[in-house]
Amino acid sequence: MTSHASPTSLLGDSLKAFSAALPARTTLHAWLKPVDAVTPAELKASQDRQEIGRLMARNTEEFEFQAMVIETAGETSFSYDAATTSLSVVYAFSEADVLEKGIVVLYSGEANSTPAVPGSYHFRPPFGWMNDPNGFGRFGDKAHLFYQHYPHSLRWNTMHWGHAVSDDYLRWKHLPIFLLPSAELSARADGRGGAFSGSAIPLAGEEAGFRVFFTEQVKDRKPEEQIQLTAVSRDQISAGPAEIILPERPDGLDLTFDFRDPYVIKGPDGRWKMLVGSRDHAGGVILLYDTADPDATRDWSFAGILHRENRFGMTAAECPCIVPLNGPADDPQTRWALIFGLLTSRDPATARRNITLATVGRFDGHTFVKEFEQELDFATDAYAFQAFVDHSGPVGIAWLANWTEISKRIDFPTAMTLPRRAVLKDGVLLTPPIDAVDNLRQDLIDDYRLLSGDKIGLANGAVEIVLDLTAAGAAFELEFEHPDVELGVRLDADGLSILYDVPEGKLLPRYIAAGVRPSTLRIFLDIGSIEVFADNGRWTGTKRLPGFASVRSARLTAPKDNVAAASVWQLKL
């Protein structure tokens, strides 16, 4: 993951410094702002007690981005006066090898430093806030993950795009922040908008370059708060100038201002397609755009409403994606999965909010004909799911959280889900974890005591529990010891549930896949999360856990002979 240099040290009452050994031609990115309007903020770089560079900022409202190049290799000291300068983030990297080594975080402040999570195997940002995955895809020889990001605190604010790369979807190298808000938005810390969610496609005729598509949000902008932009990267680490491709919503549809999250994919007719989420005064809608331009840059035209969901009230369809499941895109027999979140939706039976639907059917490039649908996740904390077709088929990832738990007053550090495959089998959509997850297994903690009813200690809580039942739907209950919540997994006549309760005593949703009868379960526990995959991902439940304490122990209760085998594996990256 990310390296960190030596910690900040005090040099008197307000002077602070940190240092790192840096190679020649190191690029430095820093965000700073003055404490007041009198004295500008300054960050000085020195080698051998000689100043070699200085960054300055004058905007007092929001941290200002500055960059410099350290030309000479050696131990480099950075200093600033806390009486006049607030510092948010400083990281360093070499453009020549950043895709292999990632950035080195030299400094992050108290407000945006993510807590240490040793042994955790889920993706987390190196600092600041994170939500939706964006631009998930393979470019060159690496998988790229972008994400909604605010660098300067652990709360949502003006949106940037964070960026990371991986060889296996599990072990990530953090890269420089990819998209920054416009100059107008960057100057203010009022959460008025920024670079919202989107997607990425390869550049035509180029092995490693890619084009990103994203929504620019500016609250109260007239006539459109949300418009669609595109930008190109040829070095895989920086974005070129953005240009507007969809400046306004389509006319005549009575749409609200919601018009966001462009997802671009090559359609079955060989033309580029763009899905955009929106809503009207009946419910959520997914808009379809189309272009014959091989670069997907111009001539986008509105083709119509691809899909509508009115059952949950006036909810916005967000973060739509569509991928072919069981064959090539240009085969008429291929089924497609259309997946989207429903912001503010509420299931009246369970009180679960912000549901994600997976709809499977035929897509000819113009119309989508639904054959069946299912919920993507019965515990709903796999939101903003984004997928693309990799070498072995579709793979996707989601934000391991739910907007119902977000507070404007409380920090909310979070993670991404385990990466998941999307597989059509026997008329249902399976979303099991990717095969590489098996490589996380380090040691077999237990394969008989849990089955015997013993209480099993879980060390740092980063474990996988595998249960094989003697018959489909055989009842059991797993009870977990966690310091902050009451937690468990239960299978009974009502269905498969993640049991979740908090001490405040407020009425919470029921996280249940009603009436299901699985035969096998894989349960992944980590600091801050539980993910349940039943029958190879036929039913999946993901729940974020508060805080950064681990699950300490597990105990299995079941009628005699209901569970054929139970094992517990220690997991580690």
Side-chain angles (χ1 to χ4, degrees):
M1 300 296 282
T2 303
S3 302
H4 289 261
S6 56
T8 302
S9 59
L10 292 175
L11 302 176
D13 292 337
S14 62
L15 294 179
K16 295 189 176 183
F18 51 94
S19 63
L22 301 177
R25 297 290 301 167
T26 291
T27 299
L28 193 80
H29 286 179
W31 282 259
L32 60 162
K33 67 177 178 179
V35 172
D36 55 47
V38 176
T39 308
E42 291 186 341
L43 178 66
K44 301 176 184 178
S46 302
Q47 290 179 343
D48 297 326
R49 300 187 179 182
Q50 298 294 316
E51 184 177 322
I52 59 171
R54 181 181 302 199
L55 299 177
M56 300 182 65
R58 297 181 180 276
N59 178 35
T60 59
E61 185 168 339
E62 178 62 298
F63 292 100
E64 190 174 318
F65 171 70
Q66 299 290 336
M68 73 165 68
V69 176
I70 309 295
E71 296 287 353
T72 306
E75 188 72 18
T76 306
S77 298
F78 301 91
S79 61
Y80 67 100
D81 187 344
T84 60
T85 299
S86 293
L87 202 57
S88 173
V89 175
V90 183
Y91 59 75
F93 62 96
S94 170
E95 291 188 6
D97 60 12
V98 66
L99 289 170
E100 300 300 329
K101 295 184 177 180
I103 62 173
V104 177
V105 178
L106 305 181
Y107 176 91
S108 58
E110 290 184 9
N112 60 349
S113 291
T114 52
V117 282
S120 176
Y121 53 89
H122 282 79
F123 177 87
R124 289 182 171 86
F127 44 79
W129 160 275
M130 177 182 74
N131 56 287
D132 304 355
N134 302 149
F136 192 41
R138 183 175 295 278
F139 309 108
D141 59 352
K142 295 185 180 296
H144 288 246
L145 172 64
F146 303 88
Y147 52 90
Q148 291 285 274
H149 185 41
Y150 181 66
H152 309 309
S153 79
L154 302 181
R155 305 177 200 177
W156 187 94
N157 206 304
T158 307
M159 283 290 98
H160 304 54
W161 272 29
H163 189 192
V165 291
S166 175
D167 294 323
D168 62 1
Y169 299 111
L170 297 173
R171 297 162 181 86
W172 295 91
K173 298 292 185 184
H174 294 292
L175 298 186
I177 291 175
F178 185 75
L179 286 178
L180 279 73
S182 66
E184 173 199 355
L185 293 170
S186 293
R188 304 169 64 174
D190 56 5
R192 295 177 62 244
F196 276 30
S197 293
S199 57
I201 61 172
L203 281 181
E206 297 191 23
E207 182 179 347
F210 51 83
R211 175 180 294 280
V212 299
F213 302 84
F214 64 98
T215 299
E216 182 191 62
Q217 154 89 7
V218 179
K219 187 177 181 181
D220 299 327
R221 177 173 57 189
K222 303 296 183 182
E224 300 289 346
E225 289 190 356
Q226 299 178 351
I227 59 177
Q228 316 314 316
L229 282 73
T230 186
V232 164
S233 177
R234 288 187 163 83
D235 61 5
Q236 300 192 50
I237 60 173
S238 60
E243 57 182 303
I244 299 171
I245 52 172
L246 294 183
E248 59 187 4
R249 294 162 291 166
D251 291 331
L253 298 180
D254 194 28
L255 299 177
T256 65
F257 282 124
D258 301 281
F259 180 54
R260 58 181 175 270
D261 312 334
Y263 179 85
V264 177
I265 190 172
K266 186 69 69 71
D269 55 2
R271 295 163 64 100
W272 288 109
K273 311 295 175 178
M274 180 191 297
L275 277 56
V276 182
S278 187
R279 80 169 96 180
D280 60 19
H281 292 284
V285 293
I286 298 173
L287 310 174
L288 177 65
Y289 287 79
D290 174 278
T291 183
D293 176 18
D295 297 323
T297 306
R298 58 186 61 84
D299 300 328
W300 284 100
S301 61
F302 177 57
I305 293 177
L306 185 68
H307 189 71
R308 169 183 291 282
E309 178 51 72
N310 293 345
R311 289 171 297 174
F312 297 94
M314 188 183 158
T315 61
E318 288 196 314
C319 303
C321 77
I322 188 168
V323 288
L325 291 174
N326 62 331
D330 59 359
D331 186 341
Q333 298 304 311
T334 294
R335 271 38 173 200
W336 295 67
L338 174 62
I339 301 171
F340 54 95
L342 288 169
L343 184 68
T344 72
S345 59
R346 183 181 184 275
D347 175 28
T350 62
R352 294 170 305 129
R353 302 296 301 270
N354 300 320
I355 293 163
T356 297
L357 292 180
T359 304
V360 175
R362 296 177 185 266
F363 178 51
D364 64 4
H366 305 282
T367 58
F368 179 81
V369 180
K370 181 178 74 173
E371 295 183 348
F372 68 90
E373 72 175 9
Q374 61 193 60
E375 279 195 49
L376 185 74
D377 193 285
F378 69 82
T380 68
D381 280 4
Y383 195 73
F385 184 86
Q386 186 169 104
F388 77 102
V389 179
D390 202 5
H391 303 314
S392 59
V395 59
I397 198 167
W399 180 41
L400 208 164
N402 192 298
W403 288 110
T404 57
E405 296 185 2
I406 305 304
S407 168
K408 294 181 179 179
R409 301 176 302 277
I410 301 172
D411 292 343
F412 192 88
T414 186
M416 294 294 180
T417 64
L418 284 173
R420 302 168 182 187
R421 295 186 294 125
V423 181
L424 181 63
K425 185 176 181 181
D426 299 329
V428 297
L429 179 65
L430 310 180
T431 55
I434 60 170
D435 295 344
V437 166
D438 293 351
N439 298 329
L440 296 176
R441 293 179 178 178
Q442 300 295 306
D443 298 296
L444 181 63
I445 296 175
D446 172 70
D447 65 354
Y448 68 93
R449 291 188 298 122
L450 187 66
L451 188 60
S452 300
D454 292 349
K455 183 178 181 180
I456 306 299
L458 299 182
N460 69 347
V463 301
E464 177 190 357
I465 299 174
V466 182
L467 300 180
D468 293 323
L469 309 182
T470 54
F476 74 86
E477 183 168 329
L478 264 173
E479 179 184 356
F480 299 117
E481 180 188 3
H482 189 282
D484 300 316
V485 296
E486 295 180 16
L487 184 67
V489 175
R490 176 190 293 160
L491 179 61
D492 58 17
D494 292 334
L496 176 63
S497 301
I498 293 178
L499 308 174
Y500 177 85
D501 200 3
V502 292
E504 287 87 346
K506 63 181 179 180
L507 185 63
L508 294 172
R510 294 179 64 212
Y511 302 109
I512 183 170
V516 309
R517 296 172 56 81
S519 298
T520 63
L521 295 101
R522 298 177 70 182
I523 300 165
F524 291 85
L525 295 168
D526 197 4
I527 295 170
S529 66
I530 179 172
E531 292 173 271
V532 178
F533 299 90
D535 282 1
N536 196 34
R538 169 60 184 90
W539 299 284
T540 302
T542 305
K543 186 73 191 79
R544 177 189 176 270
L545 307 179
F548 285 89
S550 61
V551 175
R552 297 167 179 168
S553 66
R555 187 191 300 274
L556 175 66
T557 303
K560 189 175 186 298
D561 297 330
N562 270 23
V563 182
S567 57
V568 183
W569 290 89
Q570 178 70 58
L571 303 185
K572 186 179 180 182
L573 285 172

